[in-house]
Amino acid sequence: MTPSERMASCEAITGDVDPWHFSKAIGKSHEIEDYLRAFGGYLKACGVRNFTALEVSTPSKSSQKIAARTGATKSMHRGQFVLVVPVWLWAPMAAVVLLSDEIRDELGAPITLRNGIRPWWLNQSMSTSGIASDHPQTAAVDLDLSRSGDLKAAHRMAECLYMEHEHTLVPSLGQGDTVIHFAIHSPHGHRQWRY
């Protein structure tokens, strides 16, 4: 699959929304709020309903602790460490988040979305993640379904989306009792596993 084919497969889900138009609103590099507003506007324009730019850009609690040790105070927003999704990854990330919307609808309850982006320097400190992880290399999210809802329905929807987009998005799907990892265009190909 060529890069242009990958982008076309994302546009089939997100619509023809230009991320570069929204990114022009990002101010100075330390103004995280500008980034969140621009990325949030893009996600909404693509049709994302249940998740915010802050959720997509916020790593898990364990990653937060590791990131806090870097002392990067300009990456903080409302007490949380924010990881900036590069603009070239906005379309694939929006596609993953739109698919997460469908999983959330089936669950019928709030989902905590985390690790939308997790660069290698942070990923290597995670005991459960290695060099083959999707997080530093592509658009991937971890969905925490532990609050409430129909877990079986949410997992069924994730499996249906995985099969439906097998050839166009080359997804990867990891499933645990109350967690779903969903990624597209994984460098390791179309794959599925259980936690």
Side-chain angles (χ1 to χ4, degrees):
M1 200 175 229
T2 67
S4 59
E5 288 171 332
R6 287 189 182 99
M7 291 310 289
S9 69
C10 292
E11 279 188 15
I13 294 173
T14 65
D16 187 16
V17 183
D18 180 10
W20 300 97
H21 168 76
F22 288 86
S23 69
K24 291 177 186 175
I26 299 173
K28 295 179 182 175
S29 61
H30 66 278
E31 293 173 347
I32 292 294
E33 197 133 347
D34 286 352
Y35 154 74
L36 290 170
R37 198 169 18 257
F39 186 35
Y42 172 74
L43 291 174
K44 283 184 183 173
C46 291
V48 171
R49 296 174 282 110
N50 295 304
F51 303 102
T52 67
L54 180 59
E55 287 177 279
V56 177
S57 305
T58 303
S60 65
K61 287 181 183 176
S62 55
S63 295
Q64 286 283 335
K65 289 177 186 174
I66 295 162
R69 292 197 298 257
T70 67
T73 57
K74 292 180 179 179
S75 294
M76 300 299 287
H77 178 77
R78 298 182 185 164
Q80 296 219 59
F81 191 84
V82 174
L83 293 164
V84 174
V85 178
V87 179
W88 57 266
L89 200 53
W90 284 16
M93 193 58 74
V96 168
V97 177
L98 283 163
L99 296 176
S100 299
D101 266 342
E102 294 187 46
I103 295 169
R104 193 256 182 238
D105 290 344
E106 285 300 306
L107 181 69
I111 286 176
T112 301
L113 185 151
R114 58 183 190 242
N115 299 324
I117 184 81
R118 193 165 67 197
W120 175 244
W121 66 265
L122 183 57
N123 200 69
Q124 68 182 339
S125 299
M126 306 304 298
S127 61
T128 58
S129 203
I131 199 165
S133 169
D134 288 329
H135 290 287
Q137 303 181 67
T138 191
V141 295
D142 291 328
L143 305 173
D144 180 348
L145 289 59
S146 63
R147 291 196 228 170
S148 62
D150 188 340
L151 292 170
K152 287 182 180 176
H155 280 286
R156 270 194 310 272
M157 175 54 76
E159 290 163 6
C160 286
L161 293 169
Y162 174 77
M163 289 185 292
E164 179 183 345
H165 299 287
E166 174 182 359
H167 300 294
T168 55
L169 295 176
V170 193
S172 64
L173 175 64
Q175 295 171 279
D177 291 340
T178 60
V179 67
I180 293 173
H181 166 94
F182 205 92
I184 64 171
H185 303 138
S186 172
H188 307 287
H190 183 251
R191 59 197 177 116
Q192 189 172 10
W193 68 92
R194 299 288 306 184
Y195 292 112

